[in-house]
Amino acid sequence: MSAAAFMAARDFLLGCREDYERACREFRWPRLDRFNWALDYFDPMAQGNARPGLWIVDEGGGETRLSFAELAERSSRVANHLRRLGIRRGDRVLLMLGNVAPLWETMLAAIKLGAVVIPATTLLTRDDLRDRFARGRVRHVVAGAADMAKFAELPGDYTRIAVGGSSTLRQAQGSGAPGWRRYEDGYDEPAAFAPDGETRATDPLLLYFTSGTTAKPKLVLHSHQSYPVGHLSTMYWLGVQPGDVHLNISSPGWAKHAWSSFFAPWNAAATILMLNQPRFNAKGLLDAITQCRVTTFCTPPTVWRMLIQEDLTAWRPSLREVLGAGEPLNPEIIERVRAAWGLVVRDGYGQTETTLQIGNMPGQRVKPGAVGRPAPGYRVQLLDLDGREQSEGEICLTLDPPPLGLMQGYQGEDGNLVPLAGAAYRTGDIAAVDEDGTFTYVGRADDVFKASDYRISPFELESALIEHPSVAEAAIVPSPDPLRLAVPKAFVALAAGHAPDRATALAIFRHLRAHVAPYKRVRRLEFAELPKTISGKIRRVELRAAEAERRAAGDHAAGEFWEEDFPELR
């Protein structure tokens, strides 16, 4: 019954792809009791299905294609192998792989087993891994052979499974790093998998560490329904359809990879395309989008900002849907892509803690700079600190009942779940809503600040900054000021071919004077490399702390320019 309810909800949203009003009015989250997405949905969908489910293209020319049927069979073999190695229902498994087929096989296998996956990027350091082992209570590891050395200083009786690099594995076993098992041995296991029991829809499935843009990463616990089924909202926003080729640019280990490179496209029975580039290459990415006939494409604003540095009119892709997520999408990007391809990049908003909450949906008019309207199945309110609804306030989700795509809660330091409580879940993000019910992102609650008693949105000023041709990326923070309390300061990463000198700073200040109200104007500017989390998000909290420390010390950084030092602007 649960599988039928899931399919009915999925088919309804696919049928309402461009009828947003009906989708919101009539959609209901399916009521689930026992549900295992891999066994109850994926395997039946994949049976006899020869269409490509996963297509991995390496920039050097290598290629991997696996049909849905092959993925179902291989993941069952891997599940039998992992169970033989001691992985049981409820066990915590750290999964640290790049974009290789075993990543998708292991995810499917873990779902079938009822294990809890802790996704991890290959960029993690030993200290990061120690934190994940301790707070995540890791019992098993599946990692690439090239990363085995990172685990040498992590003691404990945990299962070690290495993917690839058989010679590297043999050397490690003979040089004081015994205990690693070959992942590839799983391909010799039986193709038939029998679960050891039923999976409850509320059983834990994924434990994510947040990206830590403002503080120590939190531990987010998702269930067998909140991400597999909750991403029906993400599927709807992406506009992905059966038979599509969907490309998402995000790194394994982060929630957005599960969003758009696993659950959402496979909910629609679409092909997942991955492009492996040793070093980001905008022209190579555009070539792949065109040659592989990608129909739906999602990538963070950072990548869009690099793509629009190219002459997009030189490519004629097969794209139908183009999207941005991860951070707010600047209007300049939307206009540049529309002018080149006639397509509107649609923004969306969600978190590691949720699936897609708010978005510009297929077929709907997109207001420049707006993040969109609530996704089907989500009820969004903007609340002040006292819980009063406002036209500008913190994005909150009502909990009576909670949306299916919301996490179960955060895992506390003692390992126990801290369940959601109160009337609403608070996201920590600020937005404004207009009379049409369209939301515009303002900023993280921690990032919004006051200058001369005016409320300043970093996102608004950053959007104005990147409209200038010399600016590739920008971050706005408050700079302490004895007269105004604080003034906006811009940290700017320049586009190629522009010098970090006085002339460039003057040009940027003039641009801002022409496009920003006087009370919002950037008064200080510094050319610098922007600090980012390993997931690629700008750490404004780090810039803010450094700026406060610098002002307290009375220092003036190299590459820093103040508006008051330019007599030409008076």
Side-chain angles (χ1 to χ4, degrees):
M1 290 296 292
S2 289
F6 169 74
M7 288 300 296
R10 164 197 183 266
D11 292 345
F12 174 78
L13 287 180
L14 289 174
C16 293
R17 189 176 74 87
E18 293 194 0
D19 191 347
Y20 170 77
E21 301 298 340
R22 183 184 174 213
C24 285
R25 184 176 64 250
E26 299 181 22
F27 176 75
R28 298 293 182 271
W29 293 110
R31 294 181 179 272
L32 306 174
D33 180 21
R34 303 292 194 269
F35 184 70
N36 186 297
W37 184 84
L39 294 171
D40 298 332
Y41 163 70
F42 187 88
D43 280 2
M45 179 270 291
Q47 187 173 7
N49 190 340
R51 288 190 297 108
L54 179 64
W55 183 5
I56 301 174
V57 176
D58 298 321
E59 193 174 59
E63 188 175 303
T64 301
R65 289 201 205 199
L66 292 172
S67 70
F68 283 107
E70 289 172 320
L71 286 160
E73 178 183 319
R74 286 166 72 119
S75 62
S76 288
R77 293 182 188 275
V78 170
N80 285 321
H81 182 50
L82 297 181
R83 184 158 60 188
R84 188 183 299 278
L85 294 177
I87 297 179
R88 297 290 183 264
R89 185 176 297 275
D91 284 357
R92 305 288 181 87
V93 182
L94 185 96
L95 178 59
M96 194 171 84
L97 294 172
N99 284 319
V100 294
L103 174 70
W104 283 264
E105 296 165 0
T106 303
M107 277 285 288
L108 286 168
I111 296 172
K112 292 178 179 183
L113 287 167
V116 180
V117 177
I118 302 177
T121 172
T122 56
L123 298 176
L124 293 180
T125 65
R126 286 189 177 92
D127 287 342
D128 294 323
L129 287 170
R130 285 193 188 95
D131 180 50
R132 278 154 174 75
F133 265 68
R135 293 200 289 150
R137 288 159 171 76
V138 173
R139 295 189 61 184
H140 314 276
V141 169
V142 179
D147 289 312
M148 287 190 301
K150 292 182 178 180
F151 297 89
E153 297 177 11
L154 296 173
D157 184 19
Y158 56 92
T159 311
R160 301 163 173 86
I161 302 165
V163 173
S166 294
S167 60
T168 304
L169 180 57
R170 284 194 295 271
Q171 291 173 6
Q173 290 173 331
S175 62
W180 285 92
R181 308 296 187 92
R182 289 184 73 249
Y183 173 90
E184 289 76 13
D185 290 343
Y187 296 142
D188 297 327
E189 294 284 346
F193 173 80
D196 62 4
E198 293 183 313
T199 303
R200 291 175 299 176
T202 54
D203 284 346
L205 171 61
L206 287 159
L207 183 66
Y208 273 104
F209 283 67
T210 61
S211 56
T213 54
T214 59
K216 188 176 182 180
K218 296 179 181 179
L219 281 71
V220 175
L221 189 64
H222 278 283
S223 69
H224 279 264
Q225 64 182 10
S226 62
Y227 254 32
V229 184
H231 277 302
L232 289 175
S233 71
T234 309
M235 178 195 77
Y236 185 77
W237 166 66
L238 291 173
V240 64
Q241 299 278 291
D244 273 344
V245 176
H246 178 72
L247 172 60
N248 169 60
I249 306 296
S250 61
S251 299
W254 304 111
K256 187 58 171 66
H257 196 274
W259 275 45
S260 295
S261 295
F262 195 87
F263 291 116
W266 278 354
N267 276 346
T271 298
I272 294 171
L273 174 70
M274 301 306 301
L275 175 64
N276 284 327
Q277 294 182 311
R279 190 178 182 88
F280 179 78
N281 180 336
K283 291 181 179 179
L285 173 56
L286 291 164
D287 287 342
I289 289 171
T290 305
Q291 294 163 9
C292 297
R293 301 188 67 81
V294 173
T295 51
T296 57
F297 174 53
C298 184
T299 193
T302 298
V303 173
W304 278 118
R305 285 192 281 268
M306 290 185 276
L307 290 179
I308 63 174
Q309 303 300 314
E310 305 294 331
D311 177 12
L312 296 182
T313 61
W315 286 267
R316 287 287 177 261
S318 302
L319 292 168
R320 186 187 69 245
E321 312 287 349
V322 286
L323 306 107
E327 288 186 295
L329 193 65
N330 308 103
E332 171 73 3
I333 294 172
I334 297 173
E335 176 54 31
R336 294 278 292 277
V337 175
R338 186 205 60 75
W341 291 342
L343 298 170
V344 176
V345 184
R346 295 187 287 104
D347 206 351
Y349 169 82
Q351 297 179 301
T352 302
E353 292 88 340
T354 71
T355 59
L356 192 281
Q357 300 175 27
I358 305 170
N360 290 295
M361 305 301 174
Q364 301 299 300
R365 183 171 63 90
V366 175
K367 293 184 178 180
V371 75
R373 298 168 71 186
Y378 277 91
R379 289 174 299 149
V380 179
Q381 294 179 310
L382 301 183
L383 302 180
D384 64 14
L385 293 176
D386 296 319
R388 294 185 295 258
E389 194 162 3
Q390 307 286 318
S391 60
E392 181 175 316
E394 186 175 0
I395 301 172
C396 297
L397 304 178
T398 57
L399 297 180
D400 57 340
L404 198 71
L406 179 60
M407 64 176 178
Q408 292 181 306
Y410 294 110
Q411 179 177 296
E413 295 299 322
D414 60 359
N416 293 320
L417 179 69
V418 180
L420 298 167
Y425 161 71
R426 290 180 172 270
T427 64
D429 287 303
I430 305 297
V433 64
D434 65 16
E435 64 280 359
D436 297 329
T438 300
F439 291 83
T440 297
Y441 186 84
V442 173
R444 286 293 297 172
D446 292 338
D447 291 335
V448 175
F449 62 93
K450 281 193 171 184
S452 296
D453 210 34
Y454 291 103
R455 205 155 176 266
I456 302 296
S457 163
F459 171 64
E460 180 183 1
L461 295 181
E462 289 161 8
S463 294
L465 275 161
I466 71 164
E467 290 176 2
H468 193 275
S470 68
V471 179
E473 288 190 291
I476 295 289
V477 300
S479 179
D481 182 83
L483 179 62
R484 300 182 180 94
L485 178 64
V487 296
K489 176 174 177 178
F491 286 86
V492 171
L494 290 171
H498 295 271
D501 55 20
R502 189 181 189 280
T504 302
L506 176 60
I508 294 173
F509 279 129
R510 281 177 168 159
H511 166 79
L512 290 170
R513 283 198 164 208
H515 293 87
V516 174
Y519 73 89
K520 298 178 183 177
R521 248 182 0 234
V522 172
R523 305 286 179 175
R524 295 165 190 171
L525 184 152
E526 182 176 338
F527 298 116
E529 184 176 345
L530 304 182
K532 295 182 180 181
T533 68
I534 52 179
S535 65
K537 293 183 179 180
I538 297 170
R539 281 187 54 84
R540 290 172 186 81
V541 65
E542 188 175 318
L543 293 171
R544 188 171 184 159
E547 181 63 14
E549 183 177 335
R550 184 179 297 158
R551 297 282 74 82
D555 294 337
H556 201 83
E560 183 177 16
F561 299 88
W562 290 24
E563 187 187 49
E564 62 197 52
D565 295 331
F566 290 84
E568 304 96 315
L569 296 172
R570 294 172 191 161

mmCIF file with all atom_site columns, all heavy atoms in Angstrom, residues 307-324:
data_model
loop_
_atom_site.group_PDB
_atom_site.id
_atom_site.type_symbol
_atom_site.label_atom_id
_atom_site.label_alt_id
_atom_site.label_comp_id
_atom_site.label_asym_id
_atom_site.label_entity_id
_atom_site.label_seq_id
_atom_site.pdbx_PDB_ins_code
_atom_site.Cartn_x
_atom_site.Cartn_y
_atom_site.Cartn_z
_atom_site.occupancy
_atom_site.B_iso_or_equiv
_atom_site.pdbx_formal_charge
_atom_site.auth_seq_id
_atom_site.auth_comp_id
_atom_site.auth_asym_id
_atom_site.auth_atom_id
_atom_site.pdbx_PDB_model_num
ATOM 1   N N   . LEU A 1 307 ? 30.178 30.244 -15.828 1.00 0.00 ? 307 LEU A N   1
ATOM 2   C CA  . LEU A 1 307 ? 29.669 29.933 -17.163 1.00 0.00 ? 307 LEU A CA  1
ATOM 3   C C   . LEU A 1 307 ? 29.368 31.186 -17.962 1.00 0.00 ? 307 LEU A C   1
ATOM 4   O O   . LEU A 1 307 ? 29.612 31.236 -19.177 1.00 0.00 ? 307 LEU A O   1
ATOM 5   C CB  . LEU A 1 307 ? 28.418 29.063 -17.060 1.00 0.00 ? 307 LEU A CB  1
ATOM 6   C CG  . LEU A 1 307 ? 28.619 27.626 -16.572 1.00 0.00 ? 307 LEU A CG  1
ATOM 7   C CD1 . LEU A 1 307 ? 27.276 26.893 -16.502 1.00 0.00 ? 307 LEU A CD1 1
ATOM 8   C CD2 . LEU A 1 307 ? 29.579 26.856 -17.471 1.00 0.00 ? 307 LEU A CD2 1
ATOM 9   N N   . ILE A 1 308 ? 28.824 32.208 -17.310 1.00 0.00 ? 308 ILE A N   1
ATOM 10  C CA  . ILE A 1 308 ? 28.462 33.417 -18.065 1.00 0.00 ? 308 ILE A CA  1
ATOM 11  C C   . ILE A 1 308 ? 29.676 34.253 -18.444 1.00 0.00 ? 308 ILE A C   1
ATOM 12  O O   . ILE A 1 308 ? 29.532 35.261 -19.144 1.00 0.00 ? 308 ILE A O   1
ATOM 13  C CB  . ILE A 1 308 ? 27.418 34.280 -17.314 1.00 0.00 ? 308 ILE A CB  1
ATOM 14  C CG1 . ILE A 1 308 ? 27.988 34.798 -15.991 1.00 0.00 ? 308 ILE A CG1 1
ATOM 15  C CG2 . ILE A 1 308 ? 26.122 33.499 -17.099 1.00 0.00 ? 308 ILE A CG2 1
ATOM 16  C CD1 . ILE A 1 308 ? 27.032 35.782 -15.276 1.00 0.00 ? 308 ILE A CD1 1
ATOM 17  N N   . GLN A 1 309 ? 30.865 33.843 -18.000 1.00 0.00 ? 309 GLN A N   1
ATOM 18  C CA  . GLN A 1 309 ? 32.082 34.486 -18.496 1.00 0.00 ? 309 GLN A CA  1
ATOM 19  C C   . GLN A 1 309 ? 32.370 34.052 -19.931 1.00 0.00 ? 309 GLN A C   1
ATOM 20  O O   . GLN A 1 309 ? 33.148 34.696 -20.642 1.00 0.00 ? 309 GLN A O   1
ATOM 21  C CB  . GLN A 1 309 ? 33.289 34.143 -17.610 1.00 0.00 ? 309 GLN A CB  1
ATOM 22  C CG  . GLN A 1 309 ? 33.124 34.497 -16.135 1.00 0.00 ? 309 GLN A CG  1
ATOM 23  C CD  . GLN A 1 309 ? 32.894 35.963 -15.887 1.00 0.00 ? 309 GLN A CD  1
ATOM 24  O OE1 . GLN A 1 309 ? 33.579 36.811 -16.451 1.00 0.00 ? 309 GLN A OE1 1
ATOM 25  N NE2 . GLN A 1 309 ? 31.912 36.266 -15.043 1.00 0.00 ? 309 GLN A NE2 1
ATOM 26  N N   . GLU A 1 310 ? 31.741 32.931 -20.347 1.00 0.00 ? 310 GLU A N   1
ATOM 27  C CA  . GLU A 1 310 ? 31.907 32.436 -21.716 1.00 0.00 ? 310 GLU A CA  1
ATOM 28  C C   . GLU A 1 310 ? 30.824 33.035 -22.614 1.00 0.00 ? 310 GLU A C   1
ATOM 29  O O   . GLU A 1 310 ? 29.804 33.544 -22.143 1.00 0.00 ? 310 GLU A O   1
ATOM 30  C CB  . GLU A 1 310 ? 31.799 30.902 -21.750 1.00 0.00 ? 310 GLU A CB  1
ATOM 31  C CG  . GLU A 1 310 ? 32.749 30.175 -20.819 1.00 0.00 ? 310 GLU A CG  1
ATOM 32  C CD  . GLU A 1 310 ? 34.208 30.357 -21.206 1.00 0.00 ? 310 GLU A CD  1
ATOM 33  O OE1 . GLU A 1 310 ? 34.481 30.551 -22.427 1.00 0.00 ? 310 GLU A OE1 1
ATOM 34  O OE2 . GLU A 1 310 ? 35.072 30.325 -20.311 1.00 0.00 ? 310 GLU A OE2 1
ATOM 35  N N   . ASP A 1 311 ? 31.040 32.936 -23.921 1.00 0.00 ? 311 ASP A N   1
ATOM 36  C CA  . ASP A 1 311 ? 30.027 33.361 -24.888 1.00 0.00 ? 311 ASP A CA  1
ATOM 37  C C   . ASP A 1 311 ? 29.026 32.212 -25.044 1.00 0.00 ? 311 ASP A C   1
ATOM 38  O O   . ASP A 1 311 ? 29.217 31.303 -25.859 1.00 0.00 ? 311 ASP A O   1
ATOM 39  C CB  . ASP A 1 311 ? 30.681 33.690 -26.231 1.00 0.00 ? 311 ASP A CB  1
ATOM 40  C CG  . ASP A 1 311 ? 29.655 34.063 -27.298 1.00 0.00 ? 311 ASP A CG  1
ATOM 41  O OD1 . ASP A 1 311 ? 28.475 34.290 -26.943 1.00 0.00 ? 311 ASP A OD1 1
ATOM 42  O OD2 . ASP A 1 311 ? 30.035 34.104 -28.487 1.00 0.00 ? 311 ASP A OD2 1
ATOM 43  N N   . LEU A 1 312 ? 27.963 32.244 -24.258 1.00 0.00 ? 312 LEU A N   1
ATOM 44  C CA  . LEU A 1 312 ? 27.009 31.130 -24.249 1.00 0.00 ? 312 LEU A CA  1
ATOM 45  C C   . LEU A 1 312 ? 26.342 30.919 -25.598 1.00 0.00 ? 312 LEU A C   1
ATOM 46  O O   . LEU A 1 312 ? 25.870 29.811 -25.895 1.00 0.00 ? 312 LEU A O   1
ATOM 47  C CB  . LEU A 1 312 ? 25.948 31.371 -23.172 1.00 0.00 ? 312 LEU A CB  1
ATOM 48  C CG  . LEU A 1 312 ? 26.426 31.396 -21.714 1.00 0.00 ? 312 LEU A CG  1
ATOM 49  C CD1 . LEU A 1 312 ? 25.234 31.595 -20.780 1.00 0.00 ? 312 LEU A CD1 1
ATOM 50  C CD2 . LEU A 1 312 ? 27.172 30.120 -21.353 1.00 0.00 ? 312 LEU A CD2 1
ATOM 51  N N   . THR A 1 313 ? 26.289 31.935 -26.433 1.00 0.00 ? 313 THR A N   1
ATOM 52  C CA  . THR A 1 313 ? 25.641 31.782 -27.736 1.00 0.00 ? 313 THR A CA  1
ATOM 53  C C   . THR A 1 313 ? 26.415 30.830 -28.651 1.00 0.00 ? 313 THR A C   1
ATOM 54  O O   . THR A 1 313 ? 25.879 30.383 -29.670 1.00 0.00 ? 313 THR A O   1
ATOM 55  C CB  . THR A 1 313 ? 25.505 33.143 -28.437 1.00 0.00 ? 313 THR A CB  1
ATOM 56  O OG1 . THR A 1 313 ? 26.811 33.710 -28.652 1.00 0.00 ? 313 THR A OG1 1
ATOM 57  C CG2 . THR A 1 313 ? 24.670 34.109 -27.603 1.00 0.00 ? 313 THR A CG2 1
ATOM 58  N N   . ALA A 1 314 ? 27.644 30.485 -28.285 1.00 0.00 ? 314 ALA A N   1
ATOM 59  C CA  . ALA A 1 314 ? 28.438 29.552 -29.092 1.00 0.00 ? 314 ALA A CA  1
ATOM 60  C C   . ALA A 1 314 ? 27.972 28.108 -28.922 1.00 0.00 ? 314 ALA A C   1
ATOM 61  O O   . ALA A 1 314 ? 28.404 27.228 -29.675 1.00 0.00 ? 314 ALA A O   1
ATOM 62  C CB  . ALA A 1 314 ? 29.914 29.675 -28.736 1.00 0.00 ? 314 ALA A CB  1
ATOM 63  N N   . TRP A 1 315 ? 27.124 27.865 -27.929 1.00 0.00 ? 315 TRP A N   1
ATOM 64  C CA  . TRP A 1 315 ? 26.608 26.503 -27.688 1.00 0.00 ? 315 TRP A CA  1
ATOM 65  C C   . TRP A 1 315 ? 25.107 26.488 -27.933 1.00 0.00 ? 315 TRP A C   1
ATOM 66  O O   . TRP A 1 315 ? 24.400 27.441 -27.567 1.00 0.00 ? 315 TRP A O   1
ATOM 67  C CB  . TRP A 1 315 ? 26.905 26.053 -26.260 1.00 0.00 ? 315 TRP A CB  1
ATOM 68  C CG  . TRP A 1 315 ? 28.333 25.703 -26.022 1.00 0.00 ? 315 TRP A CG  1
ATOM 69  C CD1 . TRP A 1 315 ? 28.911 24.468 -26.116 1.00 0.00 ? 315 TRP A CD1 1
ATOM 70  C CD2 . TRP A 1 315 ? 29.394 26.592 -25.635 1.00 0.00 ? 315 TRP A CD2 1
ATOM 71  N NE1 . TRP A 1 315 ? 30.259 24.524 -25.819 1.00 0.00 ? 315 TRP A NE1 1
ATOM 72  C CE2 . TRP A 1 315 ? 30.585 25.828 -25.519 1.00 0.00 ? 315 TRP A CE2 1
ATOM 73  C CE3 . TRP A 1 315 ? 29.457 27.959 -25.378 1.00 0.00 ? 315 TRP A CE3 1
ATOM 74  C CZ2 . TRP A 1 315 ? 31.805 26.376 -25.149 1.00 0.00 ? 315 TRP A CZ2 1
ATOM 75  C CZ3 . TRP A 1 315 ? 30.671 28.520 -25.026 1.00 0.00 ? 315 TRP A CZ3 1
ATOM 76  C CH2 . TRP A 1 315 ? 31.840 27.735 -24.909 1.00 0.00 ? 315 TRP A CH2 1
ATOM 77  N N   . ARG A 1 316 ? 24.613 25.401 -28.517 1.00 0.00 ? 316 ARG A N   1
ATOM 78  C CA  . ARG A 1 316 ? 23.188 25.232 -28.745 1.00 0.00 ? 316 ARG A CA  1
ATOM 79  C C   . ARG A 1 316 ? 22.729 23.949 -28.051 1.00 0.00 ? 316 ARG A C   1
ATOM 80  O O   . ARG A 1 316 ? 22.565 22.907 -28.671 1.00 0.00 ? 316 ARG A O   1
ATOM 81  C CB  . ARG A 1 316 ? 22.891 25.167 -30.255 1.00 0.00 ? 316 ARG A CB  1
ATOM 82  C CG  . ARG A 1 316 ? 23.030 26.520 -30.944 1.00 0.00 ? 316 ARG A CG  1
ATOM 83  C CD  . ARG A 1 316 ? 21.854 27.430 -30.565 1.00 0.00 ? 316 ARG A CD  1
ATOM 84  N NE  . ARG A 1 316 ? 21.974 28.771 -31.140 1.00 0.00 ? 316 ARG A NE  1
ATOM 85  C CZ  . ARG A 1 316 ? 22.414 29.815 -30.488 1.00 0.00 ? 316 ARG A CZ  1
ATOM 86  N NH1 . ARG A 1 316 ? 22.844 29.683 -29.244 1.00 0.00 ? 316 ARG A NH1 1
ATOM 87  N NH2 . ARG A 1 316 ? 22.465 31.003 -31.053 1.00 0.00 ? 316 ARG A NH2 1
ATOM 88  N N   . PRO A 1 317 ? 22.522 24.030 -26.749 1.00 0.00 ? 317 PRO A N   1
ATOM 89  C CA  . PRO A 1 317 ? 22.185 22.823 -25.988 1.00 0.00 ? 317 PRO A CA  1
ATOM 90  C C   . PRO A 1 317 ? 20.724 22.399 -26.187 1.00 0.00 ? 317 PRO A C   1
ATOM 91  O O   . PRO A 1 317 ? 19.911 23.160 -26.718 1.00 0.00 ? 317 PRO A O   1
ATOM 92  C CB  . PRO A 1 317 ? 22.431 23.243 -24.546 1.00 0.00 ? 317 PRO A CB  1
ATOM 93  C CG  . PRO A 1 317 ? 22.193 24.725 -24.539 1.00 0.00 ? 317 PRO A CG  1
ATOM 94  C CD  . PRO A 1 317 ? 22.651 25.214 -25.880 1.00 0.00 ? 317 PRO A CD  1
ATOM 95  N N   . SER A 1 318 ? 20.417 21.190 -25.705 1.00 0.00 ? 318 SER A N   1
ATOM 96  C CA  . SER A 1 318 ? 19.049 20.657 -25.770 1.00 0.00 ? 318 SER A CA  1
ATOM 97  C C   . SER A 1 318 ? 18.287 20.939 -24.479 1.00 0.00 ? 318 SER A C   1
ATOM 98  O O   . SER A 1 318 ? 17.295 20.266 -24.185 1.00 0.00 ? 318 SER A O   1
ATOM 99  C CB  . SER A 1 318 ? 19.095 19.144 -26.014 1.00 0.00 ? 318 SER A CB  1
ATOM 100 O OG  . SER A 1 318 ? 19.790 18.835 -27.197 1.00 0.00 ? 318 SER A OG  1
ATOM 101 N N   . LEU A 1 319 ? 18.748 21.893 -23.718 1.00 0.00 ? 319 LEU A N   1
ATOM 102 C CA  . LEU A 1 319 ? 18.180 22.151 -22.400 1.00 0.00 ? 319 LEU A CA  1
ATOM 103 C C   . LEU A 1 319 ? 16.732 22.634 -22.476 1.00 0.00 ? 319 LEU A C   1
ATOM 104 O O   . LEU A 1 319 ? 16.374 23.435 -23.336 1.00 0.00 ? 319 LEU A O   1
ATOM 105 C CB  . LEU A 1 319 ? 19.017 23.206 -21.672 1.00 0.00 ? 319 LEU A CB  1
ATOM 106 C CG  . LEU A 1 319 ? 20.430 22.768 -21.256 1.00 0.00 ? 319 LEU A CG  1
ATOM 107 C CD1 . LEU A 1 319 ? 21.253 23.969 -20.829 1.00 0.00 ? 319 LEU A CD1 1
ATOM 108 C CD2 . LEU A 1 319 ? 20.347 21.749 -20.124 1.00 0.00 ? 319 LEU A CD2 1
ATOM 109 N N   . ARG A 1 320 ? 15.922 22.125 -21.542 1.00 0.00 ? 320 ARG A N   1
ATOM 110 C CA  . ARG A 1 320 ? 14.553 22.601 -21.364 1.00 0.00 ? 320 ARG A CA  1
ATOM 111 C C   . ARG A 1 320 ? 14.384 23.325 -20.034 1.00 0.00 ? 320 ARG A C   1
ATOM 112 O O   . ARG A 1 320 ? 13.639 24.289 -19.925 1.00 0.00 ? 320 ARG A O   1
ATOM 113 C CB  . ARG A 1 320 ? 13.596 21.406 -21.416 1.00 0.00 ? 320 ARG A CB  1
ATOM 114 C CG  . ARG A 1 320 ? 12.119 21.795 -21.375 1.00 0.00 ? 320 ARG A CG  1
ATOM 115 C CD  . ARG A 1 320 ? 11.202 20.582 -21.263 1.00 0.00 ? 320 ARG A CD  1
ATOM 116 N NE  . ARG A 1 320 ? 11.309 19.933 -19.958 1.00 0.00 ? 320 ARG A NE  1
ATOM 117 C CZ  . ARG A 1 320 ? 11.769 18.706 -19.756 1.00 0.00 ? 320 ARG A CZ  1
ATOM 118 N NH1 . ARG A 1 320 ? 12.183 17.963 -20.783 1.00 0.00 ? 320 ARG A NH1 1
ATOM 119 N NH2 . ARG A 1 320 ? 11.840 18.201 -18.539 1.00 0.00 ? 320 ARG A NH2 1
ATOM 120 N N   . GLU A 1 321 ? 15.117 22.837 -18.996 1.00 0.00 ? 321 GLU A N   1
ATOM 121 C CA  . GLU A 1 321 ? 15.029 23.419 -17.660 1.00 0.00 ? 321 GLU A CA  1
ATOM 122 C C   . GLU A 1 321 ? 16.437 23.758 -17.188 1.00 0.00 ? 321 GLU A C   1
ATOM 123 O O   . GLU A 1 321 ? 17.344 22.914 -17.271 1.00 0.00 ? 321 GLU A O   1
ATOM 124 C CB  . GLU A 1 321 ? 14.397 22.445 -16.662 1.00 0.00 ? 321 GLU A CB  1
ATOM 125 C CG  . GLU A 1 321 ? 13.109 21.776 -17.128 1.00 0.00 ? 321 GLU A CG  1
ATOM 126 C CD  . GLU A 1 321 ? 11.922 22.716 -17.149 1.00 0.00 ? 321 GLU A CD  1
ATOM 127 O OE1 . GLU A 1 321 ? 12.037 23.837 -16.603 1.00 0.00 ? 321 GLU A OE1 1
ATOM 128 O OE2 . GLU A 1 321 ? 10.881 22.334 -17.715 1.00 0.00 ? 321 GLU A OE2 1
ATOM 129 N N   . VAL A 1 322 ? 16.632 24.975 -16.686 1.00 0.00 ? 322 VAL A N   1
ATOM 130 C CA  . VAL A 1 322 ? 17.911 25.392 -16.103 1.00 0.00 ? 322 VAL A CA  1
ATOM 131 C C   . VAL A 1 322 ? 17.629 25.969 -14.721 1.00 0.00 ? 322 VAL A C   1
ATOM 132 O O   . VAL A 1 322 ? 16.705 26.765 -14.551 1.00 0.00 ? 322 VAL A O   1
ATOM 133 C CB  . VAL A 1 322 ? 18.665 26.395 -17.006 1.00 0.00 ? 322 VAL A CB  1
ATOM 134 C CG1 . VAL A 1 322 ? 19.269 25.706 -18.201 1.00 0.00 ? 322 VAL A CG1 1
ATOM 135 C CG2 . VAL A 1 322 ? 17.748 27.531 -17.471 1.00 0.00 ? 322 VAL A CG2 1
ATOM 136 N N   . LEU A 1 323 ? 18.442 25.575 -13.746 1.00 0.00 ? 323 LEU A N   1
ATOM 137 C CA  . LEU A 1 323 ? 18.129 25.894 -12.357 1.00 0.00 ? 323 LEU A CA  1
ATOM 138 C C   . LEU A 1 323 ? 19.379 26.263 -11.584 1.00 0.00 ? 323 LEU A C   1
ATOM 139 O O   . LEU A 1 323 ? 20.496 25.882 -11.948 1.00 0.00 ? 323 LEU A O   1
ATOM 140 C CB  . LEU A 1 323 ? 17.448 24.691 -11.675 1.00 0.00 ? 323 LEU A CB  1
ATOM 141 C CG  . LEU A 1 323 ? 16.209 24.168 -12.405 1.00 0.00 ? 323 LEU A CG  1
ATOM 142 C CD1 . LEU A 1 323 ? 16.534 22.848 -13.079 1.00 0.00 ? 323 LEU A CD1 1
ATOM 143 C CD2 . LEU A 1 323 ? 15.033 24.018 -11.467 1.00 0.00 ? 323 LEU A CD2 1
ATOM 144 N N   . GLY A 1 324 ? 19.162 26.989 -10.475 1.00 0.00 ? 324 GLY A N   1
ATOM 145 C CA  . GLY A 1 324 ? 20.246 27.322 -9.562  1.00 0.00 ? 324 GLY A CA  1
ATOM 146 C C   . GLY A 1 324 ? 19.817 27.022 -8.141  1.00 0.00 ? 324 GLY A C   1
ATOM 147 O O   . GLY A 1 324 ? 18.650 27.207 -7.779  1.00 0.00 ? 324 GLY A O   1
#
